[in-house]
């Protein structure tokens, strides 16, 4: 249903490549009432026209309700839902794969963030004019609009005493942090100093930032943080905000931050299962409690067919070959715990993966994924798969709000960098 709607509202070369005799796409155009009426066709012919119309309306209402209700197909906040047979034949629903749904990490007490959707919309109204003044207009391979807004918004809300970033690239994220907190000190760690990029084009170097970069680079896990923060007049480590955009194993970074005493963490590239160049929290928490991750690696399964179909529409949709590892365990990317910019790809066992998820749960107070700023029909993006993402801040049907906030004035390419940025609040394990 979602795919057919989006394909009708925007032109996508990827989508057009699959036109013609693609049976899976053809089947998605058939409405729920028509399918059910076809199944029970013989009995319908014997009824009156009025009865048929009434029954069709009822069936359509049921189909619409099911398609809009994530609770029927997603994992709930307290327990996993069993895969319901009724969803096996409904190909176009937002969550196509039964219990697959949207991954999430369970916190110890079920705490949530303080901000609301209204706060996010208000923040967008303020941030769009700021973003238009960015020094690096083309931040290819860096953060786009969604994550820039998320980082700015969370830094403003948390109001940390000091901000730390691991991975600076050309300095765009440093600039975003500075716009959020003009007077707060920043510590930036990056193998290459941002000033090196100034020789080739726009970059940002902050005057009120301590750089461990270039020849002075030190990895996040090797820094004496007690000494560094003391030199910056910070004694309460829980008042620091740490931003990771370094493409390292997020479990490793989480343990390093926990050891120091940092509590507020943001991971920019929280890659979905089957994607990315490092082991992410999404991968760690993706239905570890269901054998095989709750997904099917059978070549002829409905899930394999639907994934193949979605790949034609969404650049970052994952097919079976990308995510199925050895045996039935395929979490991460083909069962690998990736690290170090994809230079380390170690196969891990189901038991190890399960223990990783339990550890994360034991220290997690809050887990919040930044929603996409707006739906694909508004932004024309094709990189994130809506079936695997939370509902956007601005829903598809709210073009007037999208326009009012000034988002129509941005180049569509800036919306193509969404990778489920996540905010964590952690505490020592109990």
């Amino acid at each position: 249903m979602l795919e057919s709607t989006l394909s009708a509202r925007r032109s996508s070369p990827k989508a057009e490549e699959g036109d013609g005799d693609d049976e899976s796409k053809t089947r998605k155009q058939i409405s729920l009432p028509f399918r059910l009426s076809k199944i029970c066709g013989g009995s319908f012919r014997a009824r009156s026209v009025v009865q048929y119309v009434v029954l069709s309306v009822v069936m359509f209402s049921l189909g619409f309700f099911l398609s809009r209700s994530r609770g029927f197909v997603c994992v709930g906040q307290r327990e996993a839902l069993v895969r319901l047979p009724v969803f096996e034949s409904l190909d176009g629903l937002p969550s196509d794969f039964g219990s697959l749904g949207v991954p999430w990490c369970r916190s110890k007490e079920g705490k949530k963030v303080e901000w609301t959707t209204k706060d996010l919309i208000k923040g967008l109204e303020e941030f769009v004019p700021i973003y238009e003044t960015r020094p690096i207009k083309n931040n290819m391979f860096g953060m786009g609009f969604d994550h820039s807004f998320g980082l700015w918004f969370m830094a403003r809300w948390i109001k940390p005493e000091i901000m730390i970033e691991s991975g600076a690239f050309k300095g765009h994220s440093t600039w975003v942090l500075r716009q959020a907190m003009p007077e707060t000190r920043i510590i930036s760690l990056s193998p290459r100093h941002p000033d090196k990029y100034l020789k080739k084009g726009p970059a940002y170097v902050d005057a009120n930032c301590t750089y461990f970069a270039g020849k002075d680079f030190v990895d996040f896990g090797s820094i004496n943080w007690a000494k560094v923060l003391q030199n910056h007049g910070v004694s309460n480590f829980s008042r620091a905000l740490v931003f990771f955009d370094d493409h390292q194993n997020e479990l490793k970074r989480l343990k390093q931050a926990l050891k120091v005493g940092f509590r507020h963490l943001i991971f920019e590239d929280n890659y979905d299962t089957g994607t990315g160049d490092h082991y992410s929290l999404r991968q760690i928490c993706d239905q570890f409690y269901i054998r095989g991750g709750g997904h099917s690696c059978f070549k002829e399964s409905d899930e394999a067919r639907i994934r193949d179909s979605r790949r034609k529409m969404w650049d970052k949709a994952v097919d079976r070959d990308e995510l199925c590892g050895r045996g039935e365990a395929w979490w991460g990317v083909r069962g690998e715990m990736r690290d170090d910019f994809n230079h380390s790809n170690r196969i891990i066992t189901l038991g190890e993966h399960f223990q990783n998820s339990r550890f994360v749960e034991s220290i997690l107070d809050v887990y919040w994924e930044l929603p996409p700023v707006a739906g694909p029909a508004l932004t024309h993006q094709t990189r994130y798969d809506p079936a695997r993402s939370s509902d956007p801040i601005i829903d598809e049907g709210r073009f007037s709000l999208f326009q009012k906030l000034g988002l129509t004035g941005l180049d569509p390419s800036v919306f193509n960098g969404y990778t489920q940025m996540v905010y964590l609040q952690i505490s020592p394990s109990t």
Side-chain angles (χ1 to χ4, degrees):
M1 186 176 295
L2 181 61
E3 285 188 49
S4 60
T5 300
L6 294 179
S7 62
R9 293 181 65 178
R10 67 177 179 82
S11 174
S12 171
K14 286 281 183 181
E16 291 172 1
E17 290 175 5
D19 291 344
D21 297 328
D22 187 344
E23 183 181 355
S24 62
K25 279 187 175 289
T26 303
R27 289 178 61 192
K28 291 180 182 178
Q29 308 304 319
I30 302 175
S31 66
L32 178 63
F34 182 84
R35 290 189 189 184
L36 295 177
S37 65
K38 190 173 181 181
I39 295 173
C40 306
S43 61
F44 285 164
R45 295 189 192 98
R47 300 181 183 274
S48 68
V49 175
V50 175
Q51 289 174 311
Y52 176 79
V53 171
V54 172
L55 186 57
S56 295
V57 171
V58 172
M59 292 303 182
F60 178 83
S61 300
L62 176 61
F64 180 81
F65 173 74
L66 293 177
S67 69
R68 298 297 294 174
S69 176
R70 287 186 175 229
F72 279 90
V73 293
C74 298
V75 179
Q77 292 294 311
R78 294 296 178 187
E79 59 184 1
L81 296 179
V82 296
R83 183 163 182 162
L84 303 179
V86 68
F87 293 105
E88 296 289 345
S89 61
L90 305 183
D91 293 346
L93 299 182
S95 294
D96 287 321
F97 315 130
S99 61
L100 178 62
V102 180
W104 54 279
C105 294
R106 295 184 293 187
S107 58
K108 292 185 294 184
E109 305 295 336
K111 288 176 59 179
K112 297 182 179 180
V113 293
E114 297 176 350
W115 53 83
T116 65
T117 299
K118 288 184 178 180
D119 294 319
L120 292 169
I121 292 175
K122 184 178 180 181
L124 280 170
E125 185 175 13
E126 184 177 350
F127 180 70
V128 172
I130 296 174
Y131 184 75
E132 291 176 335
T133 68
R134 66 196 184 280
I136 307 170
K137 301 298 184 183
N138 182 5
N139 196 36
M140 186 177 293
F141 307 118
M143 288 197 304
F145 179 83
D146 295 67
H147 291 188
S148 299
F149 165 68
L151 180 61
W152 173 87
F153 178 87
M154 287 184 278
R156 288 246 305 184
W157 192 281
I158 295 168
K159 293 180 173 54
E161 292 184 11
I162 193 164
M163 300 180 290
I164 301 166
E165 62 171 352
S166 179
F169 192 33
K170 298 180 182 179
H172 174 76
S173 57
T174 316
W175 177 83
V176 171
L177 289 170
R178 177 57 63 223
Q179 306 315 300
M181 301 292 291
E183 305 299 326
T184 303
R185 291 286 296 183
I186 299 174
I187 299 176
S188 182
L189 289 63
S190 195
R192 188 174 186 180
H193 200 293
D195 64 7
K196 297 295 183 181
Y197 294 98
L198 286 170
K199 300 176 181 179
K200 297 183 179 180
Y204 177 79
V205 178
D206 192 272
N208 195 24
C209 176
T210 300
Y211 285 96
F212 290 91
K215 61 181 177 61
D216 298 320
F217 171 69
V218 183
D219 185 72
F220 177 85
S222 300
I223 285 188
N224 183 341
W225 286 110
K227 181 178 180 180
V228 170
L229 266 62
Q230 183 180 14
N231 292 340
H232 286 78
V234 177
S235 58
N236 186 356
F237 291 4
S238 67
R239 293 297 305 146
L241 174 63
V242 186
F243 173 61
F244 293 103
D245 186 13
D246 53 13
H247 294 255
Q248 301 298 296
N249 180 342
E250 292 181 5
L251 178 66
K252 175 181 71 179
R253 289 304 195 212
L254 182 62
K255 290 180 177 180
Q256 291 170 345
L258 178 67
K259 183 178 180 180
V260 176
F262 295 133
R263 291 199 63 203
H264 301 280
L265 315 178
I266 299 175
F267 289 92
E268 201 263 336
D269 290 304
N270 187 33
Y271 288 120
D272 194 12
T273 300
T275 69
D277 56 6
H278 60 266
Y279 195 46
S280 72
L281 288 157
R282 258 202 168 213
Q283 296 167 8
I284 293 170
C285 300
D286 189 7
Q287 302 190 72
F288 58 87
Y289 40 79
I290 302 176
R291 182 169 180 167
H295 312 284
S296 172
C297 282
F298 179 54
K299 290 183 178 180
E300 305 302 324
S301 67
D302 288 342
E303 181 173 338
R305 176 178 56 79
I306 296 170
R307 282 190 179 278
D308 182 65
S309 177
R310 293 191 73 86
R311 185 63 182 270
K312 297 171 183 176
M313 189 157 189
W314 307 108
D315 293 347
K316 287 297 181 180
V318 180
D319 63 26
R320 175 195 171 278
D321 292 336
E322 289 177 305
L323 52 78
C324 292
R326 299 177 183 177
E328 296 181 348
W330 59 260
W331 51 89
V333 183
R334 289 186 288 277
E336 297 172 349
M337 184 168 66
R338 300 190 172 192
D339 192 14
D340 192 25
F341 294 92
N342 212 17
H343 292 137
S344 172
N345 304 325
R346 183 170 68 87
I347 295 291
I348 59 174
T349 65
L350 175 60
E352 184 177 356
H353 179 68
F354 178 78
Q355 290 304 318
N356 291 342
S357 63
R358 294 300 299 272
F359 167 75
V360 170
E361 285 189 350
S362 73
I363 65 171
L364 196 58
D365 287 337
V366 174
Y367 178 95
W368 182 78
E369 285 188 6
L370 173 74
V373 166
L378 295 174
T379 60
H380 304 289
Q381 72 78 37
T382 60
R383 284 175 59 86
Y384 81 81
D385 186 344
R388 295 284 283 171
S389 300
S390 53
D391 293 332
I393 299 172
I394 304 173
D395 291 329
E396 298 283 32
R398 305 188 69 183
F399 175 76
S400 59
L401 177 59
F402 187 77
Q403 185 179 44
K404 177 184 176 182
L405 294 174
L407 294 169
T408 52
L410 300 177
D411 190 287
S413 63
V414 303
F415 297 106
N416 245 4
Y418 178 78
T419 50
Q420 296 88 36
M421 174 188 277
V422 64
Y423 163 69
L424 304 183
Q425 189 178 117
I426 61 173
S427 61
S429 57
T430 56

